[in-house]
Amino acid sequence: MIVIEESLCKGCGLCIKNCPTGAVTLHDRVARLSTHCTGCGICMRVCPCGAIRRDDVIPAGAAVCRSCPVQCAVQPGFEGACRRYTNVNGTLVRNRALVPASYRAGRLYPEIPDRPLITAVGAGTEYPCCRPAPHIVADIVRDIEVITVVTEAPLSYSGIKVKIDTNVHIGAEGARVFRDGAVVGMVDTEEYGAKMLSIGGANILSGKHGFTAARTIVGLANGERMVLQVEKGSTLDIAVGQPPVIDGVMQKKMRVGCGSATIGMFAAQLSKVVDEAIVLDHHVIGLLSEHRAGEEVGMTYSGVIPNGRKSTRGRYFGDQGHGWGGTDIVGPLQAVKKVDMSMARPGLRILVTETTGQQAGLLEVQPDGTVMEIPMTATIQAVVDLIAANCEEARVSAVYVGGTGGSARAGVTTYPLKLSQAVHEGEVKLTIGGAPTYILPGGGINFMVDVEKVVPGAFTWVATPATVAPVEYTMTRATFEKIGGHTNAIKPVATVKKEG
């Protein structure tokens, strides 16, 4: 449980602000614990004074939760730190009933086809936007008249989010991204197993380097290879659909999970071939014997302490770098901070590997508590290879992001607001170059589309500068009339296809 050293407490109150159960209070400028403290350890991690520690004592009557690595000790009648489980007469019970269905997704409109009658690629643009769109076509689909309105719309609010599958540290989040010396975007917050770039956007497009940004967005969206430079970071040679090349090195594998997840997935196999395993990852480093998965397969903690900041049991935060697993650890010997010989024994074998299984080393604990690298065995290598075999191929992918919430709607209807509302209600399906979109919630028509599902070479740009996206709206004729669509411009789809 949590123990507060009152002589060290400065009364700053950070523990109170961060405690998820309200179990910490301040008396006489000293933090004090209530009896319903779960021992989640958040207070210990935020305390700037080192006044809080944890011991191994579990209070009488508390039930230890095993639904996550935190393992709260929950007192009868109280909830764990996540507020999901309650101790009811000694048993932890999920305190919310299973929800069988959600009714917030809105009504479905199966009568509207998923694909437009024609795409907007090659349709051209009408200007000014108050004119009807270049093509408004009709056809009968499943006995219902369907309308598709298409235009190649210049979008000043546009950009591209680039996903690069790699563990390599490419640069700090927020760092600027350059092309030919011009700022075209920035490093975004990373996603699972991937670094992210945000290229373009209205402010960059209207700035000093807008033309370069527009060419970069369109080039990436159309699958062209680009060389980008991250501020104080890596050189990226990337093309959508291809493996990324970072600082001249082609990335081959996307991690199977973080270090903790890798331990969780392969604990059974690892426990049969080694006494301990450290899986390096820039996010979470996993330690097999201490991890709950290690316990699950019959292991007890070995006494090995990995290089990292402890998060929860068997899970340690790593530091980003250019070493193994995207950490700053450049080899297996550096993966071990210390070996507690009161628990460990000489000859104990430690596997050190990455979440991609591309690099691995085997260590042996010496009588004085140091570790020595020894040759890898075929049996252990086979488990490393199993981890690698479960990793996907690293690649670059991207979503184009745009907004048609402005004048681009006038080519469809004389009541642009009704079009926006119909899109959000699902009565109108928006596609880009024939590909389905995700509509961002809130006002306007802001969308995201997977560029690999769009007709090849569909994106262009104009010198305003803005990128040009092929936009299609598909709906029933009844909806088209309801929103004030330009009915006098409707043509049979067969006629338009014939005209080409």
Side-chain angles (χ1 to χ4, degrees):
M1 290 304 296
I2 296 299
V3 177
I4 297 177
E5 299 290 347
E6 296 186 0
S7 60
L8 298 177
C9 179
K10 305 297 184 186
C12 68
L14 273 177
C15 52
I16 298 171
K17 292 177 181 174
N18 285 279
C19 178
T21 60
V24 191
T25 54
L26 202 65
H27 297 286
D28 299 328
R29 297 189 60 78
V30 174
R32 299 182 192 281
L33 289 174
S34 301
T35 54
H36 66 276
C37 169
T38 66
C40 71
I42 291 178
C43 55
M44 184 175 65
R45 290 162 64 180
V46 301
C47 178
C49 309
I52 304 176
R53 61 180 174 81
R54 179 164 36 204
D55 61 25
D56 295 330
V57 177
I58 304 297
V64 177
C65 182
R66 296 185 178 276
S67 295
C68 86
V70 175
Q71 299 191 46
C72 289
V74 186
Q75 295 281 0
F78 289 95
E79 299 169 333
C82 69
R83 316 307 294 263
R84 295 184 300 154
Y85 293 92
T86 302
N87 183 337
V88 179
N89 298 324
T91 300
L92 289 171
V93 178
R94 178 70 172 99
N95 50 26
R96 182 174 183 175
L98 179 68
V99 179
S102 170
Y103 299 100
R104 300 187 67 182
R107 181 186 158 190
L108 299 177
Y109 293 88
E111 66 273 25
I112 307 172
D114 293 330
R115 297 180 179 177
L117 299 178
I118 56 173
T119 79
V121 179
T125 309
E126 290 290 352
Y127 187 81
C129 305
C130 54
R131 294 180 179 178
H135 295 301
I136 301 177
V137 299
D139 200 3
I140 303 299
V141 180
R142 297 190 293 268
D143 299 327
I144 295 176
E145 188 172 11
V146 171
I147 303 291
T148 291
V149 183
V150 302
T151 183
E152 290 181 315
L155 303 177
S156 53
Y157 277 85
S158 60
I160 192 165
K161 307 287 186 188
V162 183
K163 178 173 175 284
I164 303 171
D165 299 337
T166 183
N167 273 342
V168 173
H169 179 55
I170 63 170
E173 291 177 352
R176 293 180 297 176
V177 175
F178 298 85
R179 183 184 180 199
D180 298 332
V183 176
V184 296
M186 67 177 187
V187 177
D188 211 336
T189 51
E190 68 180 73
E191 300 294 345
Y192 201 100
K195 311 302 181 188
M196 299 293 296
L197 305 180
S198 178
I199 305 296
N203 294 324
I204 287 181
L205 284 170
S206 59
K208 180 179 177 182
H209 304 299
F211 301 116
T212 305
R215 285 191 287 112
T216 305
I217 297 166
V218 169
L220 287 167
N222 287 338
E224 297 174 14
R225 181 162 290 281
M226 299 273 167
V227 177
L228 304 176
Q229 179 66 48
V230 178
E231 181 180 30
K232 297 180 181 177
S234 296
T235 300
L236 312 174
D237 187 344
I238 55 174
V240 170
Q242 301 296 317
V245 178
I246 301 175
D247 297 325
V249 179
M250 180 179 289
Q251 305 300 299
K252 297 179 180 176
K253 294 287 184 182
M254 179 183 183
R255 69 178 187 168
V256 68
C258 68
S260 172
T262 306
I263 290 288
M265 283 184 275
F266 301 103
Q269 295 89 343
L270 289 165
S271 66
K272 292 176 182 173
V273 296
V274 290
D275 305 303
E276 183 61 278
I278 299 173
V279 181
L280 295 172
D281 180 71
H282 65 282
H283 180 214
V284 178
I285 296 169
L287 182 67
L288 175 63
S289 73
E290 188 188 24
H291 198 280
R292 271 278 294 124
E295 179 187 346
E296 198 78 10
V297 297
M299 299 186 77
T300 55
Y301 177 46
S302 67
V304 173
I305 301 171
N307 249 324
R309 293 169 284 119
K310 187 162 184 175
S311 165
T312 50
R313 179 178 165 183
R315 305 169 77 251
Y316 295 76
F317 292 130
D319 290 320
Q320 293 195 336
H322 290 83
W324 286 27
T327 69
D328 58 356
I329 296 170
V330 297
L333 289 171
Q334 289 187 3
V336 178
K337 177 187 291 183
K338 183 180 175 183
V339 178
D340 183 347
M341 291 306 287
S342 68
M343 289 181 275
R345 58 174 172 75
L348 185 144
R349 294 191 305 172
I350 308 167
L351 169 66
V352 179
T353 187
E354 304 172 297
T355 52
T356 59
Q358 292 183 105
Q359 300 186 90
L362 188 61
L363 305 177
E364 185 179 79
V365 174
Q366 304 302 296
D368 63 356
T370 60
V371 292
M372 182 177 73
E373 187 163 7
I374 60 176
M376 179 67 71
T377 71
T379 305
I380 298 172
Q381 184 61 49
V383 178
V384 175
D385 293 343
L386 176 65
I387 295 173
N390 278 276
C391 295
E392 296 173 78
E393 300 298 316
R395 69 196 304 275
V396 176
S397 50
V399 290
Y400 175 90
V401 183
T404 66
S407 59
R409 297 171 296 172
V412 182
T413 169
T414 53
Y415 298 100
L417 175 62
K418 291 186 177 180
L419 175 62
S420 298
Q421 293 170 334
V423 168
H424 283 277
E425 287 295 321
E427 292 180 278
V428 175
K429 287 187 178 176
L430 173 67
T431 51
I432 300 295
T437 59
Y438 173 75
I439 306 297
L440 275 64
I445 305 174
N446 298 288
F447 65 86
M448 305 176 80
V449 63
D450 180 348
V451 299
E452 293 181 84
K453 294 180 179 176
V454 176
V455 172
F459 295 93
T460 55
W461 66 283
V462 293
T464 52
T467 64
V468 179
V471 179
E472 303 113 16
Y473 299 98
T474 300
M475 67 208 86
T476 64
R477 176 154 187 152
T479 296
F480 189 58
E481 292 176 352
K482 185 177 74 174
I483 66 172
H486 300 297
T487 53
N488 57 348
I490 297 174
K491 294 181 180 179
V493 68
T495 301
V496 172
K497 286 182 176 178
K498 187 176 180 181
E499 293 172 349

